[in-house]
Amino acid sequence: MALDLGGTRFRVAAADLAGNILSKVSELTHAEEGRDAVLTRVKSAIRDLAQGYGLDRILAIGMAVPGPVNPWTGEIFSPPNLPGWDRVPMKETGEKAFGVPCFVGNDANLAALGEHRFGAGRGLKNLIYLTVSTGLGSGIIVDGQLLLGTQGLAAEAGHMAIDANGARCNCGNVGCLETFVSGPWIAKRAAQRLAAGAKSAVLDTVGGDLSKLAAEVITGAAKAGDPFAVEAIREAGTYLGIGIVNLLHLFNPQIVIIGGGVTNAGALLLEPAKEIIATRAMEPYRSVKVVLASLGDDVGLYGGIALALSHMGR
Ligand SMILES: [Zn+2]
């Protein structure tokens, strides 16, 4: 079984030992109802799905959860999108409820693991996964292994500082990659320019109310050819490329896989990133492939499945 727990939705899947998803459900998390209510709903969703196959046939549960998380103890530490979840023992909670081994990882790391085993990175030993959405998450596979670090906190590429005098990020640092590339920051930068007098069709879309300006609106306008919106996405793609060049020089991956909602912008985001790689990376590194993720909304589930299977020696 696999669980993908997000601040807005959670998903549960039953899978076979080859990693095929047999069935799955997706429900709203309702994080505002608090931790205990969410955990109760998650446990009953797992139970309901497993009952179709027989509860005794669950062998393990792999759980993708919002970070920070300790991947060895399976404890969650105050993720920003799950208010009140301070030190929640997910591994222990699952093992008590179902009597089988549970394995926990942060969602971006497990997405990397999912794409590595089942998606765009199949058969490759060195890959970087980036997810561009509310934040900029990442997971890094080095020599076939997920990079965890001393405390399991490795691979926060979104908080790599790339502007010494940049804006203050949620993490406390200044000029993080996330402050140029994530959806909310794309919207924030665009809103500042519009407030200063820039013209764009997105102003009509939000009825002149800049507080309603979201990355989806800008992406939509960019696809329709609005020059202001095209430039906003192009700027994000350029900074994404600058971040990727840093990562190429550090990790020398074969492939960089990019997922998350902002990738709906497609080539408008990716092409500027590729241009930066082609002109700024050291020559031997430029052969890296940069592709869109292939597992879509199921990426966290596949990550949970991959984690559980690897712990089972499969
Ligand atoms: Zn940061």
Side-chain angles (χ1 to χ4, degrees):
M1 303 285 296
L3 164 69
D4 178 16
L5 177 63
T8 309
R9 292 196 152 266
F10 71 88
R11 300 164 203 276
V12 174
D16 63 20
L17 288 172
N20 301 303
I21 289 182
L22 305 173
S23 56
K24 58 183 178 179
V25 291
S26 166
E27 290 184 31
L28 290 173
T29 304
H30 288 301
E32 73 284 357
E33 290 175 10
R35 184 189 71 183
D36 293 345
V38 173
L39 284 174
T40 301
R41 208 159 337 99
V42 166
K43 281 188 276 189
S44 62
I46 294 174
R47 194 170 288 112
D48 288 349
L49 198 65
Q51 253 154 4
Y53 306 91
L55 276 176
D56 57 331
R57 293 184 66 198
I58 306 184
L59 299 175
I61 305 174
M63 302 174 170
V65 299
V69 56
N70 180 320
W72 299 286
T73 64
E75 243 183 330
I76 301 183
F77 303 97
S78 310
N81 51 1
L82 289 175
W85 288 55
D86 186 33
R87 301 188 74 93
V88 179
M90 287 301 288
K91 179 177 170 68
E92 198 185 306
T93 302
E95 291 182 347
K96 263 190 196 148
F98 297 101
V100 296
C102 293
F103 307 101
V104 182
N106 113 29
D107 43 18
N109 277 357
L110 291 200
L113 208 58
E115 289 284 347
H116 175 243
R117 179 146 182 174
F118 301 111
R122 253 177 307 176
L124 302 178
K125 289 181 77 175
N126 293 283
L127 74 81
I128 291 178
Y129 171 85
L130 300 172
T131 173
V132 191
S133 56
T134 316
L136 181 75
S138 60
I140 299 174
I141 309 261
V142 179
D143 295 331
Q145 299 290 321
L146 186 62
L147 183 71
L148 291 174
T150 307
Q151 297 160 281
L153 301 175
E156 288 290 349
H159 300 290
M160 176 164 63
I162 55 172
D163 180 353
N165 303 303
R168 175 80 61 184
C169 179
N170 288 336
C171 76
N173 199 353
V174 160
C176 292
L177 182 58
E178 181 168 302
T179 67
F180 292 95
V181 181
S182 71
W185 277 97
I186 292 173
K188 190 171 174 175
R189 287 174 189 280
Q192 283 166 353
R193 284 170 198 160
L194 292 166
K199 297 278 173 272
S200 166
V202 300
L203 272 171
D204 295 334
T205 314
V206 299
D209 181 356
L210 288 175
S211 70
K212 289 186 184 149
L213 189 62
E216 296 79 29
V217 175
I218 298 166
T219 303
K223 282 177 152 176
D226 178 68
F228 174 87
V230 167
E231 184 49 36
I233 300 296
R234 181 174 179 80
E235 180 185 47
T238 299
Y239 278 97
L240 181 62
I242 291 167
I244 291 173
V245 168
N246 288 340
L247 294 168
L248 298 183
H249 291 155
L250 277 173
F251 297 103
N252 189 202
Q254 290 151 290
I255 192 167
V256 177
I257 302 170
I258 305 177
V262 177
T263 60
N264 284 335
L268 292 168
L269 181 77
L270 249 54
E271 286 309 316
K274 288 180 180 175
E275 279 168 33
I276 293 291
I277 294 166
T279 52
R280 298 197 192 175
M282 285 187 265
E283 204 278 329
Y285 297 83
R286 295 178 189 173
S287 60
V288 69
K289 277 206 273 181
V290 179
V291 301
L292 290 174
S294 69
L295 297 176
D297 289 343
D298 288 337
V299 68
L301 290 172
Y302 278 111
I305 294 164
L307 181 69
L309 288 174
S310 71
H311 279 285
M312 294 160 74
R314 288 174 176 267

